[in-house]
C-alpha cells in the first residue's frame, strides 16, 4: 500500500535543540495529521491541518500544510526528553474518520 | 488514555493457523478501523467498519475479515496466517471526526 515519504528517517539531537521534519506525497490530501508513537503504544494525534497553507501550533509543536497539498512539515522547538519517539505524518482525502495514509516515520532520539 | 483497548497484547501463531484480535472502545465511537504496522514502517489501512458494515478496505486479501458489534467492540480475523502477517495490529476508534488508536496487538507468525 501507499506510504508517504518522511525525512529524515532518524534524528539524534541534544536536549534543547529545535527539530524539523517533513512529509511528501505523490498525491493530494485535503487533511494532514501528525502523530507520535511511543514504544508499546498506538499513535497519538499531535496536530491536525485542514487547509492548504495553514500553520498550526500545539505548545512547542508547529505544523504546516503545504500549499500544493502534497506535503507537510512539523517543527518541535526546545526539545525535551519526553519528545523521544517516532513521529508519523498521515494524510486523509477528507476530514473525519476516513482511512489514514501514513508516512514511513521519523525516529527522534535525544542525546544526553 | 484514549479509551480504546485491545486484546491480547501479544500472540504467537504458526503458519496456516487462524487468529482473532479484539478491540473495545467507548459509547459514541461510531467507526472502527484496523491497521497493520510492520516493524519499522508506518501503519497500513486494512479496513473500516461503520454501523457494523465494512466501509472501505485497503490492499489486503479476503483472508483478512472483520466484525463490528453494537457494544462498540470489534474483531479482526486473519485466516491461513503467513509469515509476513507478523506485525503490530492497531485498531482506531472514530469519535467526533478524530480517530483514537489502541495500544495494538503484536502478532508473531512462526
Amino acid at each position: 500500500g501507499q506510504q508517504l515519504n518522511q525525512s529524515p528517517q532518524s534524528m539524534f539531537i541534544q536536549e534543547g535543540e529545535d527539530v524539523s521534519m517533513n512529509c511528501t506525497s505523490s498525491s493530494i490530501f485535503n487533511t494532514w495529521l501528525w502523530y507520535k508513537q511511543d514504544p508499546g503504544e498506538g499513535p497519538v494525534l499531535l496536530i491536525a491541518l485542514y487547509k492548504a497553507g495553514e500553520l498550526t501550533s500545539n505548545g512547542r509543536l508547529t505544523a504546516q500544510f503545504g500549499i500544493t497539498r502534497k506535503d507537510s512539515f512539523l517543527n518541535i522547538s526546545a526539545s525535551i526528553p519526553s519528545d523521544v519517539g517516532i513521529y508519523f505524518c498521515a494524510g486523509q482525502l477528507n476530514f473525519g474518520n476516513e482511512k489514514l495514509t501514513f508516512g514511513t516515520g521519523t525516529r527522534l532520539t535525544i542525546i544526553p | 488514555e484514549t479509551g480504546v483497548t485491545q486484546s491480547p497484547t501479544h500472540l504467537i501463531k504458526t503458519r496456516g493457523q487462524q487468529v482473532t484480535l479484539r478491540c473495545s472502545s467507548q459509547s459514541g465511537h461510531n467507526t472502527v478501523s484496523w491497521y497493520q504496522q510492520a516493524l519499522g514502517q508506518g501503519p497500513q489501512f486494512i479496513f473500516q467498519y461503520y454501523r457494523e458494515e465494512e466501509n472501505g478496505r485497503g490492499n489486503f486479501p479476503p483472508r483478512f475479515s472483520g466484525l463490528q458489534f453494537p457494544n462498540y467492540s470489534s474483531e479482526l480475523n486473519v485466516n491461513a496466517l503467513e509469515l509476513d502477517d507478523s506485525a503490530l495490529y492497531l485498531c482506531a476508534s472514530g469519535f467526533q471526526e478524530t480517530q483514537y488508536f489502541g495500544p495494538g496487538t503484536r502478532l508473531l507468525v512462526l
Side-chain angles (χ1 to χ4, degrees):
Chain A
Q2 180 190 13
Q3 285 217 312
L4 310 179
N5 295 313
Q6 281 186 248
S7 64
Q9 202 170 22
S10 59
M11 303 183 73
F12 296 83
I13 62 166
Q14 291 189 318
E15 185 176 347
E17 286 187 27
D18 296 343
V19 171
S20 291
M21 60 189 79
N22 66 55
C23 182
T24 59
S25 169
S26 58
S27 55
I28 288 171
F29 289 105
N30 292 310
T31 299
W32 283 90
L33 307 107
W34 285 90
Y35 286 84
K36 178 174 182 273
Q37 187 173 27
D38 292 328
E41 302 289 335
V44 174
L45 181 64
L46 299 174
I47 287 183
L49 302 151
Y50 307 112
K51 188 177 176 182
E54 178 182 358
L55 188 71
T56 296
S57 293
N58 179 9
R60 294 178 296 106
L61 277 62
T62 302
Q64 184 160 24
F65 189 148
I67 290 177
T68 65
R69 293 188 285 161
K70 291 184 177 182
D71 56 8
S72 181
F73 307 87
L74 177 69
N75 295 308
I76 305 173
S77 63
S79 58
I80 60 177
S82 62
D83 291 335
V84 165
I86 304 176
Y87 291 80
F88 289 100
C89 63
Q92 273 184 320
L93 280 178
N94 295 297
F95 169 63
N97 290 321
E98 284 196 2
K99 73 168 189 178
L100 297 163
T101 300
F102 279 88
T104 48
T106 294
R107 181 182 294 273
L108 180 63
T109 302
I110 295 183
I111 305 167
Chain B
E1 180 61 49
T2 64
V4 182
T5 59
Q6 292 187 243
S7 63
T9 55
H10 297 80
L11 199 54
I12 299 175
K13 291 284 189 179
T14 56
R15 271 187 308 176
Q17 285 189 310
Q18 178 266 343
V19 70
T20 298
L21 310 181
R22 293 180 174 84
C23 173
S24 181
S25 62
Q26 298 178 350
S27 174
H29 288 223
N30 54 8
T31 66
V32 63
S33 302
W34 286 89
Y35 292 81
Q36 180 195 67
Q37 186 176 20
L39 200 60
Q41 297 186 19
Q44 294 266 0
F45 176 74
I46 302 174
F47 45 56
Q48 182 185 83
Y49 277 78
Y50 173 67
R51 293 185 176 177
E52 303 166 41
E53 299 276 337
E54 189 178 290
N55 183 43
R57 188 177 186 93
N59 189 26
F60 282 82
R63 61 189 183 85
F64 285 77
S65 63
L67 288 170
Q68 184 187 25
F69 302 103
N71 65 350
Y72 306 103
S73 65
S74 172
E75 288 181 357
L76 165 65
N77 298 290
V78 187
N79 293 321
L81 283 167
E82 300 176 0
L83 297 180
D84 284 349
D85 295 335
S86 295
L88 179 69
Y89 288 86
L90 297 160
C91 76
S93 184
F95 178 69
Q96 292 185 352
E97 313 300 340
T98 298
Q99 295 188 47
Y100 296 91
F101 283 85
T105 293
R106 187 162 294 283
L107 173 65
L108 178 61
V109 182
L110 302 176

